[in-house]
Amino acid sequence: MEVINALGRRKSAVARVYVTTGKGNITINGRTLEEYFKEETLRYIVRQPLNVTETLTDFDIKVNLDGGGIKGQAEALRLAISRALCEINKEAYRPVLKSNGFLTRDAREVERKKPGQPGARRRFQFSKR
């Protein structure tokens, strides 16, 4: 199998994924999954598409992660892995991944701060007198 690459985004995080056949190693920016994501919940988020499709030990995944926070990066990586699995075998993996919602790009972004107020929606306290 040749190298399959895919892209995943969440908030301001971008994950570029390169998938090859292997033993299930996930390398993120030159570090292992356990080194990069210290929390078990974040590692679970990353492995979700592989667990659902039962391909946890079938592919080696090399990842370039950039931008955003740690949670956004984990969710961007989940989307990228899901898209790569769909490219590998659309008939087998796509229905399962789609039913679990792993192929949907979460488009929510931070709303910009407006001039003349302290935040995006927050206003300075109103004083009548």
Side-chain angles (χ1 to χ4, degrees):
M1 178 182 107
E2 74 282 355
V3 177
I4 303 289
N5 64 322
L7 184 83
R9 289 193 182 103
R10 171 74 172 100
K11 293 187 177 180
S12 60
V14 179
R16 292 173 196 85
V17 166
Y18 305 93
V19 180
T20 56
T21 52
K23 296 183 173 73
N25 299 324
I26 300 175
T27 309
I28 305 166
N29 295 348
R31 294 191 277 172
T32 63
L33 179 69
E34 286 73 24
E35 280 179 53
Y36 197 86
F37 291 116
K38 302 284 187 209
E39 284 186 45
E40 183 57 42
T41 53
L42 298 173
R43 291 195 292 262
Y44 173 76
I45 287 170
V46 170
R47 289 191 189 117
Q48 274 181 317
L50 299 168
N51 285 332
V52 166
T53 56
E54 295 165 6
T55 55
L56 201 56
T57 58
D58 297 351
F59 303 109
D60 280 346
I61 302 172
K62 186 177 176 293
V63 184
N64 288 336
L65 261 177
D66 186 43
I70 198 93
K71 172 92 174 182
Q73 285 184 346
E75 292 180 5
L77 183 50
R78 178 175 66 185
L79 176 61
I81 291 171
S82 300
R83 285 178 172 174
L85 288 173
C86 273
E87 272 187 52
I88 291 166
N89 189 345
K90 195 167 265 187
E91 292 83 34
Y93 301 143
R94 186 169 170 79
V96 180
L97 291 168
K98 191 144 179 74
S99 65
N100 283 291
F102 298 148
L103 294 174
T104 305
R105 175 9 176 146
D106 192 347
R108 293 178 295 173
E109 296 278 340
V110 176
E111 190 175 333
R112 78 177 191 89
K113 181 196 170 300
K114 314 308 187 298
Q117 56 193 64
R121 303 273 176 107
R122 177 101 174 98
R123 303 288 194 268
F124 289 114
Q125 185 171 339
F126 177 71
S127 173
K128 198 167 194 175
R129 283 175 198 87

